[in-house]
Every structure is written in structure tokens, then in C-alpha cells.
Amino acid sequence: MTPIQRYLVLNEAIKESRNQEFHIHIKGVDELSLMHDSVMLEGCNTSFQTHL
């Protein structure tokens, strides 16, 4: 994640509001489940777009 103070503060505020780490779970042929201390991975997931 970028070291810009604005994003660090946003990340901390989101962590405080959830009171837990971020859980990522991707199901498919292979499965991935992990915990992370940054909103970065969740942000990547929500901003991912596919176009036909």
C-alpha cells in the first residue's frame, strides 16, 4: 500500500471499526484463505473488473 498518510489513516480507521484483521477467502478449483492486517487486498478484490 502507498505510504501516503491519508491511506494509512483510512486503513487504521477501518481496522478499528471491524475490530479484527481482514479475512480473504477465494473458492474455485484451488482455494485460498488468509488473514491480513491491511485493507489493501480487500480493496484489490472490490476494484477488480472484467469486461466482455
Side-chain angles (χ1 to χ4, degrees):
M1 186 162 67
T2 182
I4 296 173
Q5 185 66 23
R6 172 185 177 189
Y7 298 107
L8 297 173
V9 171
L10 284 170
N11 187 65
E12 289 303 313
I14 293 170
K15 280 182 7 181
E16 279 184 26
S17 72
R18 291 184 175 201
N19 204 22
Q20 63 181 346
E21 290 188 327
F22 301 95
H23 179 237
I24 305 296
H25 186 87
I26 301 172
K27 289 177 101 174
V29 174
D30 294 319
E31 195 166 329
L32 174 67
S33 184
L34 59 98
M35 298 293 281
H36 200 274
D37 65 347
S38 171
V39 72
M40 176 183 60
L41 292 176
E42 216 172 74
C44 291
N45 182 49
T46 58
S47 65
F48 180 77
Q49 297 178 15
T50 57
H51 300 271
L52 298 175

